Amino acid sequence: MLVTTWVIVGVVAGISGAMIGYLALRQARATVEDCQRLLSRQISEGRGDLKAIRDVAVCQYDALSEMTGRMSFSVAMINGLGDGIVLTSINGRSETRTYVRSVVGGKGQQPLSPEEEEAVRAARLGHGPVVTCRAAELL
């Protein structure tokens, strides 16, 4: 009985490990594809001024249940080096809050919300100016 239990635990642990590895591999492949698209885009456009803002994407979403119509948004403004800002406006019926976060090398200096990350990713890949915000749809 005890051996059977350990065998079952071992099989479950092995299957779980294989699934985690598979999901990590999928994420890594998606990241590599994003990098390849970004590199090919940079090569095809020529160099230019890498410090000038050139990539912009707006991610619109419903941040609050009281407001519909995708009135909240995150705007990523990024240069060729992956540096820039993300401007976020959360709009409600009685108030609006606006935040700005800096981005260095394509990553936020502070933790970014899923919508902000998606805006940065879309800007870096040239999918802007307005993108469908999938992060908000998952909530």
Side-chain angles (χ1 to χ4, degrees):
M1 176 79 167
L2 185 60
V3 172
T4 306
T5 303
W6 282 110
V7 167
I8 291 172
V9 168
V11 168
V12 169
I15 291 172
S16 298
M19 290 299 297
I20 290 170
Y22 173 72
L23 293 175
L25 178 64
R26 267 186 37 191
Q27 180 69 27
R29 284 182 178 163
T31 302
V32 167
E33 288 174 6
D34 288 349
C35 288
Q36 287 173 337
R37 278 184 263 161
L38 177 64
L39 287 172
S40 66
R41 182 169 169 246
Q42 286 180 344
I43 290 169
S44 67
E45 291 179 355
R47 281 287 178 179
D49 183 7
L50 292 178
K51 292 185 178 182
I53 297 295
R54 68 171 201 180
D55 299 322
V56 177
V58 179
C59 181
Q60 297 174 311
Y61 53 95
D62 293 324
L64 305 172
S65 59
E66 67 185 45
M67 288 293 292
T68 59
R70 296 182 177 258
M71 299 304 291
S72 297
F73 61 87
S74 293
V75 179
M77 295 176 272
I78 309 293
N79 67 16
L81 300 172
D83 302 337
I85 63 168
V86 180
L87 179 68
T88 297
S89 178
I90 306 296
N91 298 301
R93 290 196 189 282
S94 60
E95 66 180 309
T96 296
R97 295 180 184 230
T98 304
Y99 306 92
V100 66
R101 294 195 170 96
S102 59
V103 177
V104 175
K107 302 287 183 192
Q109 291 290 92
Q110 303 159 336
L112 299 178
S113 71
E115 296 83 8
E116 290 170 329
E117 287 179 2
E118 189 152 351
V120 169
R121 181 176 175 271
R124 296 281 323 258
L125 294 173
H127 293 167
V130 179
V131 297
T132 302
C133 194
R134 290 177 283 143
E137 294 171 358
L138 300 175
L139 299 177

